[in-house]
Amino acid sequence: MNTAKKNVYSLRQAIVTSTLVVTVLWVIQSAGELFNLSLSVLGIIPMDPVRLYGILTAPLVHSGYEHLFNNTLPLIVLGSALLYGYPRTRLKVLAFAWLVSGLGVWLFGREATHLGASGVAHGMFFYLFVVSVLRRDTRSVGLMMIAFFMYGTMILTIFPTEPDISYEAHFFGAVGGLACALLFWRDDPKPVRKTYSWENEDEEDDPVIQDLWREPERNEQHRE
């Protein structure tokens, strides 16, 4: 029980944790700009065995501040929803989205250097969407509605839109999130349904009617 409680994040803790993780991405980007580091060496080049490490490192780096800025709010919002709503599967979702997205890009991506955390963001979105359909509890549906209201267009961005955007990372990140939802949707406990005092009260006989409603039945028995 104690271990389970430690794994549960309050909404505030989830938001703080997601923000701190995204802050690390800003520190990495700023270090690259400040010290003139070539962060693209951490990206993925499809079918290049030397750049297999990019599967692990590509989500940590971005092509510039604008790229990172575009990913910042989705990562915080979707990450907070994932941390808050799914204490047992959140790490599995991140791992699936991260690794499946990177591996898919390495195997099937266009000839380019692919980098950025948008594949992970798409994985989280598709997990939140699909798992809510499977679970149908109030918390899952509520988190999905927030995610869909803000980032429903992610359903479209898994397809080619602009030549400079790695839709392959989006697509395979979505595949990772979808697979995780299908495999682990039962793992997280459903929220306890709040009950009200009036629901637990036993029905009492009306003080006037009492057992009079039973009289016709008794009369019929006597006639028989």
Side-chain angles (χ1 to χ4, degrees), residues 47-95:
M47 299 304 294
D48 184 349
V50 177
R51 300 295 286 271
L52 266 172
Y53 64 83
I55 294 173
L56 299 178
T57 57
L60 300 175
V61 295
H62 293 75
S63 59
Y65 282 120
E66 182 180 358
H67 186 196
L68 177 56
F69 179 80
N70 291 336
N71 282 337
T72 292
L73 192 57
L75 289 172
I76 292 175
V77 173
L78 298 174
S80 298
L82 180 65
L83 293 176
Y84 172 68
Y86 303 96
R88 292 182 183 172
T89 56
R90 59 194 176 207
L91 295 180
K92 296 176 185 178
V93 176
L94 290 172

Side-chain angles (χ1 to χ4, degrees), residues 78 121-130 147-148 151-152 154-155:
L78 298 174
H122 279 70
M124 291 190 292
F125 172 81
F126 273 81
Y127 177 81
L128 292 170
F129 182 80
V130 175
F148 190 83
Y151 303 110
M154 284 187 174
I155 294 176

Side-chain angles (χ1 to χ4, degrees), residues 39-44 58-59 61-64 67 71 113-118 166:
L39 298 179
S40 62
V41 299
L42 299 177
I44 300 172
V61 295
H62 293 75
S63 59
H67 186 196
N71 282 337
T113 301
H114 300 255
L115 37 79
S118 55
S166 178

Side-chain angles (χ1 to χ4, degrees), residues 44 54-56 58-59 96-107 169 172-173:
I44 300 172
I55 294 173
L56 299 178
F96 267 64
W98 194 301
L99 297 177
V100 174
S101 174
L103 185 59
V105 169
W106 190 84
L107 289 172
F172 288 106

Side-chain angles (χ1 to χ4, degrees), residues 86 88-89 92-93 96 127 131 134-135 178-188:
Y86 303 96
R88 292 182 183 172
T89 56
K92 296 176 185 178
V93 176
F96 267 64
Y127 177 81
V131 83
L134 297 174
R135 290 168 58 88
L178 173 63
C180 205
L182 295 176
L183 291 172
F184 306 119
W185 67 274
R186 294 185 181 90
D187 287 7
D188 284 291

